Amino acid sequence: MKEGFMVPPNHVNFEAKKLFGNMGEIIDGAIAYMTVDGGGPTEKHTHEHNHLFIVVKGSAKILLDDEEIVVNQDESFLVKGTIPHAVWNNQKGETVMIGISVKS
């Protein structure tokens, strides 16, 4: 079994990992494919809503105001929209990420 995953009751050949709990009201969601050196925006930005990023393949680097967070495959990270941020591919292959915008 993969680390951090579990088999829910009454499931077969099925491994699950909870990525997030109640986050509030979802505004929208998108999938992003970032190739080598891909990401953005080129300048960190802010906005009123938060972003929940879920990496489904590869590794993403989230640049925050004063720190960098690496989010690997099967992990998630919530970015507060009021903190300057940008997201970039963190590897020499494609990274696939789900982005969910959530009201603050």
Side-chain angles (χ1 to χ4, degrees):
M1 184 173 309
K2 295 178 181 90
E3 184 178 338
F5 284 71
M6 52 84 72
V7 177
N10 303 315
H11 286 67
V12 177
N13 297 327
F14 187 104
E15 295 180 26
K17 178 180 181 181
K18 187 173 185 174
L19 293 173
F20 62 93
N22 185 351
M23 303 293 299
E25 185 178 342
I26 293 175
I27 298 169
D28 61 23
I31 188 166
Y33 293 83
M34 295 183 287
T35 56
V36 176
D37 298 325
T42 54
E43 299 282 331
K44 294 177 197 165
H45 68 290
T46 62
H47 38 70
E48 291 185 14
H49 62 274
N50 299 328
H51 283 306
L52 175 63
F53 294 120
I54 304 167
V55 176
V56 295
K57 175 185 173 190
S59 178
K61 177 172 46 177
I62 301 173
L63 305 175
L64 299 174
D65 190 26
D66 58 354
E67 67 178 310
E68 293 182 6
I69 303 293
V70 174
V71 183
N72 295 305
Q73 182 173 319
D74 299 329
E75 295 179 346
S76 64
F77 187 80
L78 178 68
V79 175
K80 292 189 179 195
T82 56
I83 296 173
H85 61 278
V87 179
W88 292 89
N89 188 350
N90 193 49
Q91 63 172 20
K92 294 296 179 194
E94 181 179 70
T95 290
V96 181
M97 186 175 66
I98 304 289
I100 300 172
S101 298
V102 182
K103 284 190 178 180
S104 302

